[in-house]
């Protein structure tokens, strides 16, 4: 029988799928705990963690349980934690004062986590006003109720300095204001915080998958964010945003959401030589958990498959609410 090297029966790709050991050896994409970042919510004024109905297994932490979660993350070997503060409703106002108050819940949480884990975990903070404003938008509103881009940048500069003073390692400007990376970089450098890095939310789309997150941060939003977050129909626009963010001083860039925008993630990863992150957001998490709870999918396999797809598409870092759980599984060799 003549055997061809280029076709069946000489070529049988299934030979490399025969055993778990073989599949493991030839796997092209691997997950590692250090590539995972845990988004975590801390709520002011609560004495017990508050479970989120739309995100089973995720809570709004107390200060104490946040410290424990950070220590657990270090033990699991994950790369970082992204902190979101949820202030008391009575403290929210039109300009998001809790976001710049040294005693605001996010700044307090940064100090708590830094005291707990030091430099053993990259402490990141959400640099945006939506959690802190009574209107729920990511910026300051003008007299007609529209987002005032440049007035918002002034607030972002103040937030950057406040978070840096609290001890953060990296800030994540996420409001999609034009010029936000440059303004934050200048604010940090001007305050002597040249070593703090910027994870730019470069491609952040106006997605339907943010729904559960609104519960997580106690959002007061009415309306939508389509005038500043990107249109899901657009791809080239992300490359323009990427070019601007890099020119303005971004150290790392991110795509959000992850799964609906794997094509965008791939294009950005192919275009840059800086670290690329993707955020597996609340709606992505909720879909898997809900389907698994109904017995429609295998939860553990689905989690690993989604994360592998994000990694395969080009993300070197993944923000996911499963970060610690998955890291523990990887450490056990699962």
């Amino acid at each position: 029988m003549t055997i061809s090297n280029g076709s069946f029966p000489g070529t049988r790709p299934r030979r490399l799928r025969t055993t778990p050991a073989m599949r493991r050896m030839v796997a092209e994409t691997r997950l590692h705990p250090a590539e995972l970042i845990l988004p975590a919510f801390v709520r002011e004024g609560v004495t017990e963690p508050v479970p989120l109905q739309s995100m089973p297994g995720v809570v709004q932490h107390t200060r104490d349980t946040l410290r424990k979660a950070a220590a657990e993350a270090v033990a699991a070997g994950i790369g970082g934690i992204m902190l979101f503060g949820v202030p008391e409703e009575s403290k929210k106002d039109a300009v998001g004062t809790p976001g710049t108050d040294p005693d605001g819940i996010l700044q307090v949480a940064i100090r708590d986590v830094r005291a707990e884990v030091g430099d053993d975990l990259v402490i990141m903070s959400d640099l945006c006003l939506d959690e802190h404003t009574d209107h729920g938008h990511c910026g300051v509103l003008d007299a007609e109720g529209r987002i005032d881009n440049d007035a918002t940048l002034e607030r972002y500069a103040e937030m950057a300095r406040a978070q840096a003073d609290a001890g953060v390692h990296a800030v994540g400007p996420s409001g999609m204001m034009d010029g936000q990376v440059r303004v934050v970089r200048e604010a940090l450098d001007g305050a002597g915080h040249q070593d703090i890095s910027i994870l730019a939310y470069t491609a952040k789309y106006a997605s339907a998958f943010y729904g559960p997150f609104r519960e997580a941060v106690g959002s007061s939003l009415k309306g939508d964010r389509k005038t500043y977050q990107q249109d899901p129909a657009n791809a080239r626009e992300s490359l323009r945003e990427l070019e601007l963010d890099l020119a303005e001083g971004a150290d790392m860039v991110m795509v959000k959401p992850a799964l609906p925008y794997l094509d965008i993630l791939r294009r950005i990863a192919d275009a840059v030589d800086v670290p690329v992150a993707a955020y597996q957001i609340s709606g992505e998490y909720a879909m898997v958990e809900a389907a698994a709870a109904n017995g429609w999918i295998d939860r553990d396999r689905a989690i690993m498959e989604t994360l592998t797809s994000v990694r395969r598409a080009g993300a070197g870092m993944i923000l996911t609410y499963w970060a610690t759980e998955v890291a523990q599984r990887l450490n056990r060799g699962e």
Side-chain angles (χ1 to χ4, degrees):
M1 180 177 64
T2 301
I3 298 177
S4 168
N5 289 327
S7 62
F8 179 85
T11 300
R12 295 177 181 264
R14 286 183 56 196
R15 294 183 185 123
L16 301 183
R17 306 169 194 158
T18 52
T19 67
M22 177 66 78
R23 293 191 294 272
R24 183 172 61 248
M25 184 181 73
V26 301
E28 299 174 23
T29 305
R30 303 180 196 277
L31 295 172
H32 190 281
E35 299 164 350
L36 304 177
I37 298 166
L38 176 68
F41 309 102
V42 57
R43 180 171 170 177
E44 188 173 24
V46 296
T47 57
E48 296 291 336
V50 179
L52 300 176
Q53 290 186 345
S54 56
M55 298 177 68
V58 179
V59 302
Q60 293 172 328
H61 284 286
T62 69
R63 289 175 61 187
D64 285 340
T65 63
L66 178 64
R67 285 192 287 262
K68 292 176 183 176
E72 185 180 32
V74 170
I78 74 171
I81 188 168
M82 174 66 80
L83 300 177
F84 297 85
V86 184
E88 293 181 351
E89 197 69 27
S90 62
K91 295 184 179 179
K92 295 181 180 180
D93 59 21
V95 296
T97 296
T100 51
D101 182 351
D103 294 320
I105 184 60
L106 181 53
Q107 285 69 252
V108 169
I110 293 169
R111 292 196 294 270
D112 284 344
V113 173
R114 189 66 186 268
E116 182 71 31
V117 302
D119 294 332
D120 292 339
L121 190 66
V122 178
I123 303 167
M124 304 176 173
S125 54
D126 182 54
L127 201 163
C128 194
L129 289 172
D130 59 322
E131 299 103 301
H132 310 284
T133 55
D134 55 12
H135 48 72
H137 277 287
C138 297
V140 178
L141 303 183
D142 64 18
E144 297 182 17
R146 302 171 302 187
I147 294 290
D148 186 326
N149 190 95
D150 295 3
T152 298
L153 294 181
E154 294 179 17
R155 296 291 293 137
Y156 285 3
E158 294 178 54
M159 290 187 78
R161 290 189 289 265
Q163 293 175 4
D165 289 342
V168 79
H169 293 108
V171 296
S174 62
M176 291 301 287
M177 296 297 122
D178 294 338
Q180 63 184 14
V181 172
R182 178 181 64 82
V183 167
V184 168
R185 183 73 271 160
E186 290 177 354
L188 291 170
D189 291 354
H193 294 297
Q194 294 91 343
D195 290 340
I196 292 176
S197 58
I198 296 176
L199 170 59
Y201 283 59
T202 292
K204 183 178 180 182
Y205 283 86
S207 172
F209 291 94
Y210 294 133
F213 182 86
R214 307 274 164 81
E215 178 194 357
V217 297
S219 175
S220 306
L221 180 68
K222 294 181 177 61
D224 58 52
R225 296 177 173 140
K226 294 180 180 179
T227 65
Y228 45 105
Q229 293 177 354
Q230 286 180 242
D231 185 339
N234 293 349
R236 290 193 302 271
E237 183 180 32
S238 292
L239 298 179
R240 186 183 187 197
E241 292 279 5
L242 174 66
E243 182 180 2
L244 291 167
D245 282 353
L246 292 175
E248 291 174 15
D251 301 289
M252 303 171 278
V253 297
M254 182 158 67
V255 175
K256 180 180 181 180
L259 287 178
Y261 298 95
L262 293 180
D263 59 322
I264 305 300
L265 176 58
R266 179 76 269 165
R267 292 177 71 166
I268 286 179
D270 286 344
V272 301
D273 56 4
V274 300
V276 177
Y279 196 147
Q280 186 181 57
I281 65 169
S282 59
E284 299 173 58
Y285 176 95
M287 283 194 305
V288 172
E289 292 288 352
N294 279 284
W296 297 334
I297 61 173
D298 181 317
R299 176 184 181 274
D300 291 352
R301 287 182 60 196
I303 290 171
M304 300 306 283
E305 187 174 342
T306 58
L307 290 171
T308 299
S309 75
V310 177
R311 183 72 180 83
R312 189 183 63 240
M317 303 173 291
I318 306 174
L319 287 81
T320 175
Y321 299 99
W322 291 303
T324 301
E325 174 190 342
V326 168
Q328 292 168 341
R329 289 173 58 187
L330 292 172
N331 292 333
R332 293 192 298 265
E334 298 179 11

